[in-house]
Amino acid sequence: MNAITHDPDNKCYLIALEGDAVAKVYYEKKGNILDVISTRIPDELQGKGYGKEMMEAFLAEMKSSGKRFLQTNIKPR
């Protein structure tokens, strides 16, 4: 499983990929729910299945922490 770090100052989760590369899941907090507003995979890693790895790590983190999330209108950054 990929290591995941919460960066509350930037309202995102960072997911370790290969080497020093990280994927990012950006959110807005709405009460007890995190509204996922954008995701980002480094350009050089796009098309290699890292989007799936990113979301699997994010979903596992949400489940283990008991947080709820909403995915709406995600736009690449």
Side-chain angles (χ1 to χ4, degrees):
M1 183 60 70
N2 300 68
I4 185 166
T5 305
H6 185 209
D7 180 357
D9 293 336
N10 291 306
K11 297 181 182 175
C12 72
Y13 282 85
L14 308 171
I15 297 94
L17 300 176
E18 66 180 49
D20 293 332
V22 294
K24 298 176 183 178
V25 177
Y26 292 91
Y27 66 87
E28 290 179 355
K29 191 167 183 178
K30 297 180 178 179
N32 293 335
I33 297 174
L34 299 183
D35 185 0
V36 176
I37 57 170
S38 180
T39 60
R40 179 73 180 114
I41 300 288
D43 291 341
E44 65 275 10
L45 298 180
Q46 295 210 5
K48 297 181 179 180
Y50 287 109
K52 179 181 177 185
E53 283 188 34
M54 171 189 64
M55 290 311 296
E56 287 175 347
F58 176 73
L59 293 172
E61 175 68 16
M62 294 300 98
K63 185 175 180 179
S64 70
S65 68
K67 293 181 180 155
R68 296 176 59 196
F69 75 96
L70 177 65
Q71 180 177 333
T72 59
N73 238 0
I74 293 181
K75 299 173 190 160
R77 283 193 172 193

